[in-house]
């Protein structure tokens, strides 16, 4: 009897879900045809020839970080190479005009565009703000990006769509509803196998709260949620026709999640190598003071406390009165109130460890001052775990400091690697190894240090604007065929 009842319920349910699926397919097909029609009506130019519209999805294009440098270099590269291309940028920066944004790109990065860019200003950028989703942030932001992408698609339907900020969930939207050829530049996978292992091993980190790590049930639930999200992320990412990643570390993660090896390639981000190479390099004069410089935004993942602790350890173990004095200079940007609070906590840490006199904070300083600090420094310090690339690391090497970075991510796999068989810098993992390595670098004769600095300089040419242009054009070529 139960079986008969189940059958009598199951058949109508299957029938109903079948009809709903058909309705959904018809609806989506209708939307696609409507969008294509819209595109045809709006796209013919004055002379009947229509330019090829290449759109970049970059809601924070006025932010002035490494990701934005990639965006403007990519646009300039396409403008140099293709005559009939109009570049469009979807942005949520409604507090600035198009002219101001382009002017900002020139002022910050010294990148001058050849032709004007069309900006499409989006109203719903708040939907991708992390602060809107205190829980299930990844899922919330990803669904938010779909709505933001839909707004973008309705305002302008391009021929080629490139997501340059890591909003992979917009890719199927533009491919299947917009009928575009689609590509993306991935700076950082939205979810990585490292994040899964942090939850699996119940580690407490800045993105894995203590109340979750202390409860096996919460940890299991979060793990299931992460696996589901990783599966969805793999699904949408694999829709791309062209995938560019910024480092070997990102490549490994994207290959394991998206499984789109045939169309994936590494395109190193363009670093302003030349500006730093202009700093003259010579054997240090005998000096009474050596400086260690760190350049990175005051964000939790950059791990400034590790730098201060390692420096304090170095000072403690250095026998007083024997060697020149040491200074640690922390240079970085503060984006908001939380960053400023973080700097205050770091200053308190310096007081606790008794090194306040020896640590300098330089916040939001002009570029010329940054260059001066780097020119005078002996060691360039970087402590982020699993930094996906590390533009700051490249800049320190180009400026001629002896780099000491974290033994993980981009610095380990791509940047601080031997060049023509010679040492280009050093890697460390914790307070002890950082302190030991700094002591070792200071113990080297100046000539030996100069040799390492010269090797490092020679090795960074592969991160130049010119190298980026060549690899970027090779990667996006399939989209223009």
């Amino acid at each position: 009897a139960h079986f008969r009842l189940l059958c009598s319920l199951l058949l109508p349910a299957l029938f109903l879900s079948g009809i709903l699926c058909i309705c959904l397919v018809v609806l989506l097909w209708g939307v696609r045809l409507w969008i294509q029609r819209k595109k045809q009506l709006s796209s013919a130019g004055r002379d009947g020839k229509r330019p090829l519209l290449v759109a970049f999805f970059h809601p924070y294009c006025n932010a002035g970080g490494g990701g934005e440098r990639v965006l403007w270099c990519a646009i300039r590269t396409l403008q140099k190479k293709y005559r009939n291309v109009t570049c469009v940028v979807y942005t949520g920066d409604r507090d600035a005009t198009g002219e101001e944004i382009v002017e900002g790109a020139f002022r910050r990065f010294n990148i001058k565009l050849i032709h004007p860019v069309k900006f499409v200003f989006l109203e719903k950028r708040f939907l991708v703000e992390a602060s809107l989703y205190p829980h299930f942030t990844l899922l919330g932001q990803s669904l938010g990006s779909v709505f933001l992408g839909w707004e973008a698609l309705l305002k302008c339907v391009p021929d080629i769509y490139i997501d340059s900020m890591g909003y992979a969930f917009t890719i199927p939207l533009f491919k299947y509803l917009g009928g575009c050829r689609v590509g993306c530049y991935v700076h950082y996978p939205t979810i990585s196998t490292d994040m899964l292992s942090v939850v699996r091993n119940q580690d407490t980190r800045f993105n894995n709260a203590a109340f979750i790590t202390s409860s096996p049930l919460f940890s299991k639930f979060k793990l299931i949620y992460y696996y589901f999200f990783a599966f969805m992320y793999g699904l949408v990412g694999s829709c791309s026709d062209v995938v560019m990643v910024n480092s070997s570390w990102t490549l490994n993660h994207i290959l394991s999640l998206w499984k789109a090896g045939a169309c994936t390639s590494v395109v190193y981000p363009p670093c302003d190598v030349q500006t730093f190479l202009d700093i003259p390099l010579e054997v240090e004069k005998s000096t009474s003071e050596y400086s260690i410089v760190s350049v990175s935004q005051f964000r939790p993942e950059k791990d400034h406390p590790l730098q201060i602790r390692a420096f304090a350890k170095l000072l403690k173990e250095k026998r007083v009165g024997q060697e020149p004095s040491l200074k640690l200079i922390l240079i970085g940007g503060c984006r908001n109130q939380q960053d400023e609070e973080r700097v205050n906590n770091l200053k308190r840490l310096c007081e606790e460890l008794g090194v306040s006199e020896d640590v300098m904070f330089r916040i939001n300083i002009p570029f010329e001052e940054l260059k001066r600090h780097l020119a005078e420094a002996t060691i360039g310090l970087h402590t982020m775990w699993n930094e996906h690339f590390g533009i700051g690391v490249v800049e320190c090497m180009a400026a001629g400091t002896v780099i000491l970075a974290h033994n993980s991510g981009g610095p380990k796999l791509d940047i601080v690697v031997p060049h023509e068989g010679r040492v280009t810098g050093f890697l460390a993992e914790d307070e002890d190894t950082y302190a030991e390595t700094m002591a070792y670098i200071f113990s080297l004769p100046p000539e030996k240090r100069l040799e390492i600095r010269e090797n490092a300089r020679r090795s960074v040419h592969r991160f130049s604007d010119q190298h980026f242009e060549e690899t970027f054009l090779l990667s996006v070529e399939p989209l223009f065929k």
Side-chain angles (χ1 to χ4, degrees), residues 38 89 110 119 121 157 163 167 173 221 227 231 277 281 299 380 411 418 425 441 443 445 458 480:
K38 203 172 144 135
V89 177
N110 199 21
F119 287 95
F121 290 95
V157 187
D163 161 44
Y167 293 107
L173 190 70
F221 181 70
Y227 273 115
F231 170 73
L277 290 174
L281 199 58
R299 301 211 305 247
I441 294 168
S443 74
R458 279 195 289 271
F480 289 85

Side-chain angles (χ1 to χ4, degrees), residues 435-447:
E436 281 161 25
T437 314
M438 284 192 278
Y440 173 73
I441 294 168
F442 285 122
S443 74
L444 293 171
E447 295 75 26

Side-chain angles (χ1 to χ4, degrees), residues 347-454:
K347 286 179 177 168
R348 278 198 285 279
L349 177 65
C350 290
E351 275 165 28
E352 278 166 37
L353 297 170
V355 293
S356 296
E357 300 290 301
D358 311 292
V359 180
M360 276 171 67
F361 288 84
R362 309 295 296 127
I363 294 154
N364 298 337
I365 58 172
F367 188 71
E368 285 310 308
E369 192 183 333
L370 166 73
K371 254 174 83 169
R372 200 186 70 242
H373 281 300
L374 281 172
E376 291 166 1
T378 304
I379 295 177
L381 196 58
H382 195 273
T383 44
M384 180 175 164
W385 170 74
N386 265 343
E387 168 75 83
H388 39 298
F389 178 72
I391 289 178
V393 175
V394 172
E395 290 175 346
C396 282
M397 288 165 78
T401 66
V402 179
I403 189 71
L404 173 54
H406 198 283
N407 191 20
S408 63
K412 177 188 184 174
L413 296 172
D414 293 306
I415 306 172
V416 192
V417 295
H419 177 67
E420 292 170 358
R422 296 197 187 96
V423 175
T424 56
F426 299 91
L427 298 166
E429 275 169 24
D430 51 28
E431 210 177 297
D432 293 345
T433 49
Y434 269 101
E436 281 161 25
T437 314
M438 284 192 278
Y440 173 73
I441 294 168
F442 285 122
S443 74
L444 293 171
E447 295 75 26
K448 181 74 188 144
R449 275 202 292 269
L450 182 67
E451 203 180 294
I452 294 169
R453 292 156 66 201
E454 284 171 339

Side-chain angles (χ1 to χ4, degrees), residues 74-116:
I75 289 174
R76 183 180 63 183
T77 305
L78 290 181
Q79 290 181 342
K80 269 191 213 170
K81 163 92 179 185
Y82 296 102
R83 280 275 152 75
N84 65 329
V85 156
T86 298
C87 290
V88 177
V89 177
Y90 296 118
T91 178
D93 292 301
R94 290 182 304 150
D95 52 353
T97 63
E99 289 80 34
E100 284 167 352
I101 294 173
V102 170
E103 167 58 34
F106 177 62
R107 200 178 59 247
R108 288 190 187 113
F109 306 119
N110 199 21
I111 293 171
K112 199 152 189 60
L113 301 177
I114 301 159
H115 304 295

Side-chain angles (χ1 to χ4, degrees), residues 109-321:
F109 306 119
N110 199 21
I111 293 171
K112 199 152 189 60
L113 301 177
I114 301 159
H115 304 295
V117 168
K118 184 181 164 193
F119 287 95
V120 174
F121 290 95
L122 307 175
E123 321 260 317
K124 297 187 177 62
R125 186 176 76 178
F126 67 90
L127 291 174
V128 297
E129 298 272 350
S131 54
L132 194 61
Y133 313 99
H135 305 293
F136 300 103
T137 314
L138 292 178
L139 197 60
Q141 284 181 294
S142 299
L143 291 174
S145 74
V146 175
F147 287 102
L148 190 63
W150 176 245
E151 183 194 344
L153 186 58
L154 290 186
K155 286 185 170 171
C156 169
V157 187
D159 299 289
I160 294 170
Y161 170 79
I162 298 174
D163 161 44
S164 50
M165 242 197 112
Y167 293 107
F169 283 75
T170 60
I171 293 168
L173 190 70
F174 279 83
K175 182 169 186 167
Y176 299 116
L177 291 185
C180 314
R181 276 160 284 173
V182 293
C184 59
Y185 187 95
V186 185
H187 295 271
Y188 201 77
T190 303
I191 188 163
S192 66
T193 41
D194 294 331
M195 284 164 76
L196 293 171
S197 69
V198 162
V199 179
R200 201 183 302 112
N201 303 334
Q202 297 185 328
D203 280 355
T204 304
R205 287 194 181 249
F206 70 92
N207 58 356
N208 196 32
F211 79 87
I212 287 174
T213 52
S214 57
S215 156
L217 183 70
F218 278 140
S219 283
K220 286 263 186 323
F221 181 70
K222 186 165 183 177
L223 199 58
I224 292 165
Y225 158 57
Y226 267 11
Y227 273 115
F228 165 72
F229 186 83
F231 170 73
M232 294 300 294
Y233 183 59
L235 220 54
V236 296
S238 63
C239 299
S240 303
D241 301 315
V242 162
V243 180
M244 293 167 279
V245 296
N246 66 342
S247 68
S248 307
W249 182 83
T250 308
L251 176 74
N252 296 336
H253 285 289
I254 289 298
L255 287 179
S256 74
L257 289 162
W258 292 10
K259 300 181 172 49
C263 59
T264 305
S265 54
V266 176
V267 177
Y268 290 129
C271 307
D272 195 4
V273 171
Q274 200 45 56
T275 312
F276 292 100
L277 290 174
D278 293 341
I279 296 171
L281 199 58
E282 55 228 7
V283 175
E284 310 140 29
K285 327 245 182 317
S286 57
T287 166
S288 60
E289 182 177 283
Y290 283 123
S291 65
I292 301 161
V293 165
S294 145
V295 184
S296 55
Q297 285 182 313
F298 289 99
R299 301 211 305 247
E301 64 272 22
K302 299 293 182 187
D303 206 351
H304 287 89
L306 175 57
Q307 301 181 355
I308 293 167
R309 287 202 182 93
F311 179 67
K313 202 171 188 99
L314 173 72
L315 288 186
K316 210 160 91 191
E317 289 172 7
K318 198 180 73 117
R319 286 169 301 290
V320 186

